[in-house]
Amino acid sequence: MAPAGPRSGDAIFASVERVNAELFTLTYGAIVRQLLTDLEEVDEVNKQLDQMGYNIGIRLVDEFLAKSNVSRCVDFKETAEVSAKVGFKMFLGVGASVTNWDAEGTCCSIVLEDNPLVDFVELPDTCQGLYYCNVLSGVIRGALEMVSVCPPMPLSPSLFIVFLGLLTSLPCLFDVYICSLELPF
Amino acid sequence: MIGVSKIKQYSNVLDKPLSKGKQEVSLSAFAFLFSELVQYNQTQVDNIAELERSRLEDAGYAVGARCLELLCHREKGNRRETRLLGILSFVHSTVWKVLFGKVADSLEKGTEHEDEYMISEKELLVNRFISIPKDMGTFNCGAFVAGIVRGVLDNAGFPAVVTAHFVPMEGQQRPRTTILIKFAEEVLRREARVG
């Protein structure tokens, strides 16, 4: 019997159990607020959010592979496309697009038009430099690491840059730059 | 075209129109996020009571406060509840329906004390993928939901102490969860005055 083909993000999202996005948004806001109160330093909060995302990503990728039935990606371009189209859709319910490829094909932006994490959020002046959605970059990092897309050196926060300066003027756009990943292909 | 967004951009988040609240995310995304919340807070405290009380409940309180404002505006046309039973049925029906997709299983008045009410749920959404190790005793992650209820009640003018408890049920493997609401004296006095 031929194995089932890969399923689209929409189909998977329609078949999983769902919760109200506002509960998700408000819970995430509570987490960020707790971190800011505990850690006070914006850089520490960014690191902690990334770590939390990493912990989520290493487990999330199992569910992603089980539900989506995707076959092994042949190159980084395909990896990025699959994460954006299928991954984001099946967990967050919003599709993402991949843009801004560099010449070597190792660096891209994943753009979320409609990010449920940032509904109702406005960053005050005291939190400039806070990467509010840094948990998402941690998730991607954890998930990719589990499927052996490994960076050549321990990641420093500068390698994953979440541009939230955009958050203040363009609350619906979210950029993730994935740079310098060594490709085992 | 790369980089062009069709969505109108707002300089101020308050100018953005309020969504209808129909957007959804997957349950597993929420479950992962909640598990990280609990795990992070476990590293920050020394004992279970503090974990429940000051960390999870406070996180829930913030959610509840915002929920009240959002739902009062969106679902009830900016009318606010002034009676005890009114606010309790608001929590039991509207808040639960919006946050968890269904109304709460039951709302009961406590028999032993005048100021106690209980909202019961067979399986709280937040507890679905959580199992409590024996050495944590009576710890209940439903403290987050208790915090949400406390946030709603407090900001609606009904201060209360809200806690979450497991109640074992015969014939069922997983215990039921009860959110116990104990209203402050002033609320009962006010209720009696209003009649």
Side-chain angles (χ1 to χ4, degrees), chain B residues 103-120:
Chain B
V103 302
D105 284 348
S106 68
L107 170 64
E108 291 153 2
K109 190 165 154 51
T111 45
E112 288 166 36
H113 302 276
E114 273 304 304
D115 54 355
E116 281 181 3
Y117 289 82
M118 290 160 301
I119 294 181
S120 297

Side-chain angles (χ1 to χ4, degrees), chain B residues 52-66:
Chain B
E52 267 196 30
R53 224 62 59 217
S54 64
R55 308 292 303 201
L56 283 184
E57 265 192 36
D58 281 352
Y61 185 91
V63 175
R66 285 154 182 80

Side-chain angles (χ1 to χ4, degrees), chain A:
Chain A
M1 194 164 84
R7 303 166 66 194
S8 77
D10 287 310
I12 306 170
F13 188 64
S15 67
V16 295
E17 279 189 68
R18 297 179 293 279
V19 296
N20 191 318
E22 279 159 5
L23 176 61
F24 184 70
T25 306
L26 292 174
T27 305
Y28 186 66
I31 292 176
V32 176
R33 237 187 340 270
Q34 266 190 343
L35 287 175
L36 281 168
T37 318
D38 292 339
L39 301 171
E40 285 169 24
E41 284 292 309
V42 161
D43 288 327
E44 291 295 316
V45 176
N46 290 339
K47 271 209 294 249
Q48 184 65 40
L49 283 174
D50 184 75
Q51 184 56 37
M52 281 177 150
Y54 179 81
N55 294 337
I56 294 177
I58 58 182
R59 291 150 62 207
L60 185 130
V61 73
D62 277 338
E63 186 176 340
F64 172 74
L65 291 172
K67 293 219 160 96
S68 68
N69 240 349
V70 292
S71 50
R72 191 173 172 79
C73 295
V74 296
D75 61 4
F76 184 55
K77 273 197 159 67
E78 197 180 335
T79 309
E81 280 292 331
V82 165
S83 330
K85 292 274 170 320
V86 185
F88 275 99
K89 183 75 199 183
M90 75 187 259
F91 288 106
L92 293 183
V94 291
S97 51
V98 186
T99 58
N100 250 358
W101 281 102
D102 72 343
E104 295 102 52
T106 57
C107 192
C108 68
S109 298
I110 296 182
V111 179
L112 281 153
E113 286 297 324
D114 195 10
N115 187 354
L117 287 178
V118 305
D119 270 341
F120 319 129
V121 175
E122 187 180 37
L123 291 184
D125 292 329
T126 49
C127 294
Q128 294 306 320
L130 176 68
Y131 299 144
Y132 189 80
C133 304
N134 217 22
V135 76
L136 291 177
S137 62
V139 170
I140 296 175
R141 183 168 69 91
L144 291 181
E145 203 168 296
M146 276 290 125
V147 291
S148 314
V149 180
C150 295
M153 64 192 110
L155 282 173
S156 67
S158 61
L159 285 181
F160 281 102
I161 303 168
V162 180
F163 281 134
L164 283 182
L166 291 177
L167 181 68
T168 50
S169 57
L170 304 164
C172 301
L173 276 184
F174 160 67
D175 267 353
V176 171
Y177 285 82
I178 305 176
C179 303
S180 311
L181 287 179
E182 184 168 83
L183 309 174
F185 311 109

